[in-house]
Amino acid sequence: MPLSRAEIATPSGARLINRLCKHWAHKLEVEHSEQDAKIVFASGTCLLHAEPERLLVSIETLEEEHLDQLEGVVESHLVRMAKDEPLEIVWEN
């Protein structure tokens, strides 16, 4: 299964997880706690884990072509949820 990961430097990881999960809970399968989340899309799954100074994100898809699409969706939503906090997101796969 294609997999992509990003480590995002931020002291706001738990807040971002909470905001993102609340945003997507009405249309996607979402499981989350204060530090962790699992978001299930039709084409793959996103796992998030908040640490004190970083947010770890991993995306797994069934097909390679969906990986770039989900990276874009997750990244754009994280940037939106971060508001004025600049996030540097570099995907590794």
Side-chain angles (χ1 to χ4, degrees), residues 69-89:
Q69 177 191 13
L70 275 183
E71 285 175 355
V73 168
V74 171
E75 183 171 335
S76 68
H77 281 77
L78 282 170
V79 168
R80 188 179 338 158
M81 297 301 153
K83 294 191 177 184
D84 294 334
E85 178 186 359
L87 298 180
E88 183 178 331
I89 303 172

Side-chain angles (χ1 to χ4, degrees), residues 57-70:
V57 183
S58 64
I59 297 173
E60 187 174 60
T61 62
L62 296 174
E63 298 182 29
E64 187 75 37
E65 68 247 21
H66 297 298
L67 199 56
D68 287 342
Q69 177 191 13
L70 275 183

Side-chain angles (χ1 to χ4, degrees), residues 14-49:
R15 181 180 63 84
L16 290 172
I17 286 175
N18 186 47
R19 294 189 74 205
L20 199 58
C21 289
K22 283 183 178 180
H23 175 75
W24 274 329
H26 68 281
K27 61 182 174 182
L28 298 171
E29 179 185 331
V30 173
E31 299 172 19
H32 74 98
S33 65
E34 189 173 318
Q35 302 297 318
D36 296 285
K38 177 181 178 182
I39 303 164
V40 180
F41 296 87
S43 58
T45 302
C46 176
L47 300 174
L48 301 109
H49 175 73

Side-chain angles (χ1 to χ4, degrees), residues 4 8 52 60:
S4 188
I8 305 163
E60 187 174 60

